Amino acid sequence: MSPITVVNVGYRSTNYWVVSAGRSRLLVDLGWPGTMGRMHANLERMDVPLAEIRYALATHYHPDHAGLAQELKQAGVPLLVVDVQVAAIPRLKTWTKPRDGYVEITEHDNVVISFAESRAVLEDIGIPGEILHTPGHSDDSVSLLLDDGAAFTGDLTHPALAGEAEVAVVQESWRVLRERGATRFHPGHGPVWPMPAAAPPS
Ligand SMILES: [Zn+2]
């Protein structure tokens, strides 16, 4: 199996991660609406041909993370959706304005899987890992966790920054990630961090 490499093709303060096993690749988070030109340019600069991206995965369906999902599909990249995310997809258009140039995601042609199926789907493209449900920022938030300990957590709130209303859910998501072997996280915004320590009991 090819070693796993990770590059960031992000822009506008948002990270878009290309996880590659040789030339078999997964794109994690999918650009702002109306920015396909920018995405193309960044992929090209990082030497990632669109044709080598086997799936596009949005950590959650907010505009800065899933804005180009449909255009990527139209360019030949299948959209990998976890079943808990299906209901969130149509809501995405309510957070965009016409001038954003958002192309609405069609629902009949996505690759919808369960968390339990995720390891086999990833293994098929040479990437050892799984997809986990990590709600807190939103109910449809998922994380990609590679077997080498790298977690791609989207906007999952850092445990130290969680507000009172969400803190229990956020801490549970971090607990799951830690328990499954995450050692460092690649967030949707900002730099890569080591895994936050477990919160002291309150
Ligand atoms: Zn978000």
Side-chain angles (χ1 to χ4, degrees), residues 7-159:
V7 297
N8 186 2
V9 295
Y11 46 91
R12 283 200 205 163
S13 306
T14 310
N15 301 324
Y16 306 124
W17 303 103
V18 180
V19 179
S20 305
R23 298 203 159 269
S24 179
R25 308 174 191 275
L26 172 69
L27 178 61
V28 181
D29 285 337
L30 312 177
W32 290 85
T35 63
M36 195 62 182
R38 185 85 185 265
M39 177 63 84
H40 265 300
N42 282 15
L43 289 168
E44 198 163 307
R45 186 177 318 136
M46 300 308 280
D47 192 27
V48 177
L50 207 54
E52 293 179 356
I53 303 176
R54 305 283 296 276
Y55 291 112
L57 172 71
T59 54
H60 61 296
Y61 282 80
H62 282 172
D64 48 339
H65 295 264
L68 295 175
Q70 185 65 20
E71 284 152 283
L72 286 161
K73 277 161 60 180
Q74 288 163 351
V77 183
L79 180 62
L80 189 62
V81 176
V82 186
D83 49 19
V84 299
Q85 299 183 302
V86 169
I89 292 178
R91 291 201 292 266
L92 182 47
K93 68 172 179 295
T94 64
W95 291 316
T96 61
K97 300 201 165 55
R99 67 160 186 271
D100 297 334
Y102 170 63
V103 181
E104 203 172 334
I105 300 169
T106 53
E107 295 187 64
H108 65 279
D109 53 356
N110 302 321
V111 181
V112 180
I113 64 166
S114 64
F115 290 109
E117 290 167 318
S118 65
R119 175 169 290 281
V121 169
L122 293 168
E123 191 176 288
D124 240 25
I125 61 170
I127 296 176
E130 61 185 327
I131 302 171
L132 300 170
H133 195 199
T134 50
H137 171 71
S138 67
D139 291 345
D140 68 319
S141 286
V142 306
S143 295
L144 169 70
L145 174 60
L146 302 181
D147 287 355
D148 70 5
F152 300 78
T153 49
D155 286 351
L156 177 60
T157 316
H158 191 286

